[in-house]
Amino acid sequence: MAGTLYLCATPIGNLEDITLRVLHTLQEVDLIAAEDTRNSIKLLNHFQIKTPMTSYHEYNKIEKARQLAEKLKAGQNIALITDAGTPAISDPGEDLVRICQEEQIPVTSLPGACACITALTLSGLPTRRFCFEAFLPREKKERALVLEQLKQETRTILLYEAPHHLKKTLAELFSVLGDRDLSICRELTKHFEEIRRTTLLEAMAFYEETEPRGEYVLAILGKSREISQQEARQTWEALSLPEHMAHYEAQGIARKEAMRMVAKDRGISKRDVYQGLLS
């Protein structure tokens, strides 16, 4: 029988955040696949775990994933850990999970620390709906495309950023999104943890005077849904009622249903649509 791949969440700062289940699993598996063995050995030594380790990272993620899959098919149990947090979240572990699923190898997740969720809960911003973009792309065109998409995002936006890129990223966000409420979460679960409730404009000014230090998660208020609905309504109202109806009827939608959809788009009653078409 095939072994199991265990996705083991590790602390993002405070070592006491590791779970008992993860500790037991790391002790019992045949092999630990770690993003950076030099970093992970500190964690294993702290908890006196002697399980063998192998490296699994961005630069060997496909070739090594297939090697690990063969070990799993041979019956070995393997734990996957990242430098900090939950494997497969903004992490090459997603490729290993995909390959294991394709090979019908059992995969299970041992939940625990995750920086984006920790920041969201501390942000003071709406938590029911959110989107996670991890690190913005470094390639210029792709980065511009993602930022333009975020401009219309109504959910709370979560981004990761390194200290040496923070000021540039804040300036780009302000340029595209305008001023937004923002929570800057720094050094989460560590001794110098800081949650700064501010705005993009205020944050830009603050970091002109203060050098960024530590790892950051940015939680940004999404665009107001009311504003988005108003913009959409203005777009529809630029069309005449017959043109608006034709938009849906051209898709094969029945006239009665098209009238209902037009009424919803324009914020009016179906009777108003009917009367408008008659006139």
Side-chain angles (χ1 to χ4, degrees), residues 32-44 53-58 60 80-84 91-92:
I32 297 172
E35 184 177 10
D36 186 338
T37 55
R38 295 167 301 178
N39 181 68
S40 296
I41 193 65
K42 300 172 187 176
L43 176 73
L44 300 189
M53 263 197 306
T54 188
S55 63
Y56 176 76
H57 49 71
E58 182 66 27
N60 70 355
L80 178 67
I81 59 176
T82 185
D83 281 351
D91 175 80

Side-chain angles (χ1 to χ4, degrees), residues 78-113:
I78 298 176
L80 178 67
I81 59 176
T82 185
D83 281 351
T86 300
I89 300 295
S90 185
D91 175 80
E94 65 178 309
D95 293 286
L96 177 57
V97 172
R98 173 179 53 79
I99 288 170
C100 286
Q101 299 287 12
E102 291 171 354
E103 298 287 339
Q104 297 185 322
I105 295 168
V107 180
T108 189
S109 180
L110 282 60

Side-chain angles (χ1 to χ4, degrees), residues 169-239:
T169 296
L170 289 171
E172 286 180 298
L173 289 166
F174 177 77
S175 175
V176 176
L177 306 182
D179 203 14
R180 298 273 187 96
D181 285 347
L182 166 73
S183 285
I184 299 179
C185 305
R186 184 176 74 89
E187 293 292 271
L188 290 170
T189 78
K190 300 177 185 177
H191 181 70
F192 292 106
E193 177 180 278
E194 178 186 24
I195 312 300
R196 180 175 292 275
R197 287 296 306 276
T198 182
T199 68
L200 284 169
L201 188 59
E202 290 172 353
M204 289 167 58
F206 177 81
Y207 286 108
E208 285 302 319
E209 304 294 330
T210 306
E211 190 64 26
R213 296 181 184 278
E215 299 300 317
Y216 290 85
V217 184
L218 307 179
I220 306 162
L221 184 66
K223 183 177 183 179
S224 166
R225 297 179 78 176
E226 290 182 4
I227 292 174
S228 298
Q229 290 167 356
Q230 289 171 2
E231 289 178 347
R233 189 166 297 169
Q234 289 170 358
T235 300
W236 289 120
E237 288 174 350
L239 299 175

Side-chain angles (χ1 to χ4, degrees), residues 65-76 103 105:
R66 300 206 180 279
Q67 294 175 16
L68 293 173
E70 289 303 315
K71 293 180 182 294
L72 286 158
K73 286 193 285 187
Q76 290 191 34
E103 298 287 339
I105 295 168

